[in-house]
Amino acid sequence: MKEQLNSIQQKALDEIKNAVDIKTVDDLKVRLLGKKGELTAILKQMGQLSAEERPVIGQLANQVRECIENDIGRKKEQLKALETERKLKKETLDVTLPGRKLEQGRRHPLNIVLDDLKEIFKGMGYSVVDGPEVEKTEYVFDMLNTDEGHPARDPSDTFYITDKIILRTQTSSVQIRTMLANKPPIAVISPGRVYRNDEMDATHSPIFHQCEGLVVDKNITFSDLKGTIEVFAKRLYGNDIKIRFRPHHFPFTEPSAEADFRCFKCGGKGCPLCKGEGWIEMLGCGVVHPQVLLNCGIDPEIYSGFAFGMGLERVAMMRYGIDNMRLLYENDLRFLKQF
Ligand code: DAH
């Protein structure tokens, strides 16, 4: 039995020595010292020994157990240290690597222009309101005094979803929504996306942006409109800007006008930006047609108003001298980084 114990010890120490990871060591411990382990199996045979042999073998067995336990403990410490060292090596930082640059985004030119516009009009007491892009023909056309058969309603210009639902072709529909929901005094602007069945080219896009304006109160006249547009133009382009109004026709205003701004590139001499005109058409506007007020339950004998609408792309293109509208939608960073 003595030899058996010695050989168990020797074999155990060899196996422990050769173990390469903690799991192997743990398994060894169970196999050698566990309830069903080799050492326990031998101790179970102690009953067969004589009275003199028993204490001797018992002592030896304890020594063997202790020796194996100690060895296992040492080995585990060793393996743990190795593991930590390996981890540390793997996680070292290479402080010589160049850092990763955080790209800073910036506002799109359309948003810059829109934010400026909002600031300018908020400064004059306007609120900013929103309206749906999928809209009733009733609000885009009928209630804006635009009858069946008007060319603006033609399916070759307008994306129809059903007979009575379209993608709005103008933000003017928000005028109706605003007047149906609010009593005068009203002073709102409403920027947003509009849709027209146009091919994309340097000055057209099937999706573009407009900003609508509407003021309704007592004693509102065309002079209020002119003054407002002049203040707006000066805030946006500086005090030297000149503006002019040309008579025009819109179904929902009477009288109606288009406002041109003096070309800020050439100062009016004529250049490619203004196509030699010296003036750039910026917006449509007019005094709200009495029928439109009536349609929204507002008494035109008591109240009057003015309205205007402009294309944001145009404002941005004129402001920054951009000659192709496509640039605004292509998301080319070389272009966008210039603003
Ligand atoms: N909605 C017009 C367009 O898309 C622009 C416009 C003209 C808006 C006159 C108005 C207005 O509010 O009074 O061309």
Side-chain angles (χ1 to χ4, degrees), residues 134-163:
V134 178
E135 185 57 289
K136 303 177 188 182
T137 47
E138 195 187 356
Y139 293 173
V140 184
F141 300 130
D142 301 277
M143 290 179 77
L144 283 166
N145 217 20
T146 311
D147 297 335
E148 300 276 344
H150 191 283
R153 304 178 69 131
D154 197 308
S156 66
D157 294 327
T158 304
F159 293 112
Y160 277 82
I161 291 173
T162 69
D163 277 1

Short mmCIF file of all heavy atoms in Angstrom, two decimals, residues 134-163:
data_model
loop_
_atom_site.label_atom_id
_atom_site.label_comp_id
_atom_site.label_asym_id
_atom_site.label_seq_id
_atom_site.Cartn_x
_atom_site.Cartn_y
_atom_site.Cartn_z
N VAL A 134 -49.07 65.26 -47.39
CA VAL A 134 -50.17 64.58 -48.10
C VAL A 134 -51.44 65.34 -47.71
O VAL A 134 -51.82 65.36 -46.55
CB VAL A 134 -50.27 63.10 -47.66
CG1 VAL A 134 -51.43 62.42 -48.37
CG2 VAL A 134 -48.96 62.38 -47.96
N GLU A 135 -52.04 65.99 -48.68
CA GLU A 135 -53.05 67.01 -48.35
C GLU A 135 -54.30 66.87 -49.21
O GLU A 135 -54.26 66.31 -50.32
CB GLU A 135 -52.38 68.38 -48.54
CG GLU A 135 -53.20 69.58 -48.16
CD GLU A 135 -53.69 69.57 -46.71
OE1 GLU A 135 -54.57 68.75 -46.39
OE2 GLU A 135 -53.19 70.40 -45.90
N LYS A 136 -55.42 67.38 -48.70
CA LYS A 136 -56.67 67.36 -49.46
C LYS A 136 -56.61 68.40 -50.58
O LYS A 136 -56.14 69.52 -50.36
CB LYS A 136 -57.84 67.76 -48.54
CG LYS A 136 -58.01 66.90 -47.33
CD LYS A 136 -59.15 67.49 -46.50
CE LYS A 136 -59.25 66.77 -45.18
NZ LYS A 136 -60.34 67.25 -44.36
N THR A 137 -57.14 68.03 -51.75
CA THR A 137 -57.23 69.01 -52.85
C THR A 137 -58.08 70.21 -52.40
O THR A 137 -57.86 71.33 -52.83
CB THR A 137 -57.89 68.39 -54.09
OG1 THR A 137 -59.07 67.69 -53.70
CG2 THR A 137 -56.96 67.43 -54.79
N GLU A 138 -59.00 69.94 -51.50
CA GLU A 138 -59.85 71.00 -50.96
C GLU A 138 -59.00 72.14 -50.37
O GLU A 138 -59.32 73.32 -50.54
CB GLU A 138 -60.72 70.37 -49.86
CG GLU A 138 -61.88 71.17 -49.41
CD GLU A 138 -62.57 70.51 -48.21
OE1 GLU A 138 -62.17 69.39 -47.80
OE2 GLU A 138 -63.50 71.14 -47.68
N TYR A 139 -57.93 71.78 -49.63
CA TYR A 139 -57.11 72.80 -48.98
C TYR A 139 -56.04 73.37 -49.90
O TYR A 139 -55.63 74.51 -49.76
CB TYR A 139 -56.43 72.23 -47.73
CG TYR A 139 -57.37 71.87 -46.60
CD1 TYR A 139 -56.91 71.20 -45.47
CD2 TYR A 139 -58.72 72.22 -46.65
CE1 TYR A 139 -57.76 70.88 -44.43
CE2 TYR A 139 -59.58 71.89 -45.63
CZ TYR A 139 -59.10 71.22 -44.51
OH TYR A 139 -59.94 70.90 -43.49
N VAL A 140 -55.55 72.52 -50.84
CA VAL A 140 -54.49 73.01 -51.73
C VAL A 140 -55.10 73.87 -52.84
O VAL A 140 -54.48 74.81 -53.32
CB VAL A 140 -53.68 71.84 -52.35
CG1 VAL A 140 -52.51 72.38 -53.19
CG2 VAL A 140 -53.14 70.92 -51.26
N PHE A 141 -56.32 73.51 -53.25
CA PHE A 141 -56.92 74.20 -54.40
C PHE A 141 -58.27 74.86 -54.08
O PHE A 141 -58.37 76.09 -54.08
CB PHE A 141 -57.11 73.24 -55.58
CG PHE A 141 -55.81 72.64 -56.07
CD1 PHE A 141 -55.67 71.26 -56.25
CD2 PHE A 141 -54.73 73.44 -56.38
CE1 PHE A 141 -54.49 70.72 -56.72
CE2 PHE A 141 -53.54 72.91 -56.85
CZ PHE A 141 -53.42 71.54 -57.03
N ASP A 142 -59.31 74.05 -53.80
CA ASP A 142 -60.68 74.58 -53.76
C ASP A 142 -60.82 75.80 -52.84
O ASP A 142 -61.26 76.85 -53.26
CB ASP A 142 -61.67 73.50 -53.30
CG ASP A 142 -61.65 72.30 -54.24
OD1 ASP A 142 -62.32 72.34 -55.27
OD2 ASP A 142 -60.91 71.34 -53.93
N MET A 143 -60.41 75.61 -51.58
CA MET A 143 -60.63 76.70 -50.62
C MET A 143 -59.68 77.87 -50.86
O MET A 143 -59.88 78.96 -50.32
CB MET A 143 -60.52 76.18 -49.20
CG MET A 143 -61.71 75.27 -48.85
SD MET A 143 -61.62 74.59 -47.22
CE MET A 143 -62.13 75.99 -46.24
N LEU A 144 -58.64 77.63 -51.69
CA LEU A 144 -57.76 78.72 -52.09
C LEU A 144 -58.23 79.33 -53.41
O LEU A 144 -57.46 79.94 -54.15
CB LEU A 144 -56.31 78.23 -52.22
CG LEU A 144 -55.55 78.02 -50.91
CD1 LEU A 144 -54.27 77.23 -51.15
CD2 LEU A 144 -55.22 79.36 -50.25
N ASN A 145 -59.53 79.12 -53.70
CA ASN A 145 -60.14 79.81 -54.82
C ASN A 145 -59.63 79.30 -56.18
O ASN A 145 -59.64 80.03 -57.16
CB ASN A 145 -59.83 81.32 -54.69
CG ASN A 145 -61.00 82.17 -55.14
OD1 ASN A 145 -62.13 81.67 -55.20
ND2 ASN A 145 -60.73 83.42 -55.46
N THR A 146 -59.14 78.08 -56.20
CA THR A 146 -58.57 77.51 -57.43
C THR A 146 -59.52 76.43 -57.93
O THR A 146 -59.54 75.31 -57.41
CB THR A 146 -57.17 76.91 -57.15
OG1 THR A 146 -56.41 77.88 -56.43
CG2 THR A 146 -56.46 76.53 -58.43
N ASP A 147 -60.35 76.79 -58.93
CA ASP A 147 -61.45 75.92 -59.37
C ASP A 147 -60.97 74.66 -60.07
O ASP A 147 -59.85 74.59 -60.55
CB ASP A 147 -62.36 76.68 -60.34
CG ASP A 147 -63.01 77.86 -59.65
OD1 ASP A 147 -63.15 77.80 -58.41
OD2 ASP A 147 -63.35 78.84 -60.36
N GLU A 148 -61.91 73.71 -60.19
CA GLU A 148 -61.73 72.55 -61.08
C GLU A 148 -61.31 73.10 -62.44
O GLU A 148 -61.79 74.13 -62.86
CB GLU A 148 -63.07 71.83 -61.30
CG GLU A 148 -63.74 71.28 -60.07
CD GLU A 148 -63.21 69.90 -59.69
OE1 GLU A 148 -62.56 69.26 -60.54
OE2 GLU A 148 -63.45 69.50 -58.53
N GLY A 149 -60.41 72.43 -63.13
CA GLY A 149 -60.06 72.90 -64.47
C GLY A 149 -58.94 73.93 -64.48
O GLY A 149 -58.42 74.26 -65.53
N HIS A 150 -58.55 74.44 -63.30
CA HIS A 150 -57.41 75.36 -63.26
C HIS A 150 -56.14 74.57 -63.62
O HIS A 150 -55.96 73.44 -63.15
CB HIS A 150 -57.27 75.96 -61.86
CG HIS A 150 -56.29 77.11 -61.81
ND1 HIS A 150 -54.93 76.91 -61.81
CD2 HIS A 150 -56.49 78.46 -61.75
CE1 HIS A 150 -54.33 78.10 -61.76
NE2 HIS A 150 -55.26 79.06 -61.72
N PRO A 151 -55.28 75.16 -64.45
CA PRO A 151 -54.09 74.41 -64.92
C PRO A 151 -53.20 73.89 -63.78
O PRO A 151 -52.55 72.85 -63.93
CB PRO A 151 -53.33 75.42 -65.79
CG PRO A 151 -54.07 76.71 -65.70
CD PRO A 151 -55.40 76.47 -65.10
N ALA A 152 -53.20 74.59 -62.63
CA ALA A 152 -52.35 74.15 -61.51
C ALA A 152 -52.77 72.77 -61.01
O ALA A 152 -51.98 72.06 -60.39
CB ALA A 152 -52.42 75.15 -60.37
N ARG A 153 -54.04 72.38 -61.29
CA ARG A 153 -54.54 71.09 -60.78
C ARG A 153 -54.24 69.94 -61.72
O ARG A 153 -54.53 68.78 -61.39
CB ARG A 153 -56.06 71.18 -60.56
CG ARG A 153 -56.46 72.31 -59.65
CD ARG A 153 -57.97 72.39 -59.52
NE ARG A 153 -58.53 71.27 -58.80
CZ ARG A 153 -59.39 71.39 -57.78
NH1 ARG A 153 -59.78 72.59 -57.38
NH2 ARG A 153 -59.88 70.35 -57.19
N ASP A 154 -53.68 70.24 -62.88
CA ASP A 154 -53.45 69.21 -63.90
C ASP A 154 -52.55 68.10 -63.37
O ASP A 154 -51.53 68.36 -62.75
CB ASP A 154 -52.79 69.88 -65.11
CG ASP A 154 -52.88 68.99 -66.35
OD1 ASP A 154 -52.49 67.82 -66.25
OD2 ASP A 154 -53.37 69.50 -67.39
N PRO A 155 -52.95 66.82 -63.62
CA PRO A 155 -52.14 65.69 -63.15
C PRO A 155 -50.74 65.67 -63.74
O PRO A 155 -49.85 65.01 -63.21
CB PRO A 155 -52.93 64.47 -63.62
CG PRO A 155 -54.30 64.94 -63.86
CD PRO A 155 -54.20 66.40 -64.25
N SER A 156 -50.52 66.40 -64.82
CA SER A 156 -49.17 66.43 -65.36
C SER A 156 -48.28 67.33 -64.51
O SER A 156 -47.06 67.33 -64.66
CB SER A 156 -49.18 66.90 -66.81
OG SER A 156 -49.59 68.25 -66.87
N ASP A 157 -48.86 68.09 -63.58
CA ASP A 157 -48.08 68.92 -62.67
C ASP A 157 -48.13 68.42 -61.24
O ASP A 157 -47.29 68.78 -60.42
CB ASP A 157 -48.64 70.36 -62.65
CG ASP A 157 -48.44 71.05 -63.99
OD1 ASP A 157 -47.43 70.76 -64.66
OD2 ASP A 157 -49.30 71.86 -64.37
N THR A 158 -49.15 67.63 -60.92
CA THR A 158 -49.46 67.30 -59.53
C THR A 158 -49.46 65.79 -59.32
O THR A 158 -49.96 65.05 -60.17
CB THR A 158 -50.86 67.86 -59.17
OG1 THR A 158 -50.88 69.25 -59.43
CG2 THR A 158 -51.21 67.60 -57.72
N PHE A 159 -48.90 65.34 -58.22
CA PHE A 159 -48.96 63.90 -57.88
C PHE A 159 -50.26 63.61 -57.15
O PHE A 159 -50.42 64.00 -55.99
CB PHE A 159 -47.78 63.50 -57.00
CG PHE A 159 -46.44 63.59 -57.69
CD1 PHE A 159 -45.49 64.54 -57.31
CD2 PHE A 159 -46.11 62.70 -58.71
CE1 PHE A 159 -44.25 64.61 -57.94
CE2 PHE A 159 -44.87 62.77 -59.34
CZ PHE A 159 -43.94 63.72 -58.95
N TYR A 160 -51.18 62.94 -57.84
CA TYR A 160 -52.46 62.59 -57.23
C TYR A 160 -52.37 61.24 -56.53
O TYR A 160 -51.83 60.28 -57.08
CB TYR A 160 -53.56 62.53 -58.29
CG TYR A 160 -54.14 63.89 -58.60
CD1 TYR A 160 -53.51 64.76 -59.49
CD2 TYR A 160 -55.31 64.33 -57.97
CE1 TYR A 160 -54.03 66.01 -59.75
CE2 TYR A 160 -55.84 65.59 -58.24
CZ TYR A 160 -55.19 66.42 -59.13
OH TYR A 160 -55.71 67.67 -59.38
N ILE A 161 -52.90 61.16 -55.32
CA ILE A 161 -52.97 59.88 -54.61
C ILE A 161 -54.36 59.29 -54.83
O ILE A 161 -54.51 58.14 -55.19
CB ILE A 161 -52.63 60.08 -53.12
CG1 ILE A 161 -51.14 60.42 -53.03
CG2 ILE A 161 -52.94 58.81 -52.32
CD1 ILE A 161 -50.65 60.82 -51.69
N THR A 162 -55.39 60.13 -54.62
CA THR A 162 -56.75 59.81 -55.08
C THR A 162 -57.24 61.10 -55.73
O THR A 162 -56.48 62.07 -55.83
CB THR A 162 -57.69 59.46 -53.90
OG1 THR A 162 -57.91 60.66 -53.14
CG2 THR A 162 -57.12 58.38 -53.01
N ASP A 163 -58.52 61.11 -56.16
CA ASP A 163 -59.10 62.33 -56.74
C ASP A 163 -58.98 63.52 -55.80
O ASP A 163 -58.84 64.65 -56.23
CB ASP A 163 -60.61 62.12 -56.98
CG ASP A 163 -60.84 61.40 -58.29
OD1 ASP A 163 -59.84 61.08 -58.96
OD2 ASP A 163 -62.03 61.16 -58.62
#
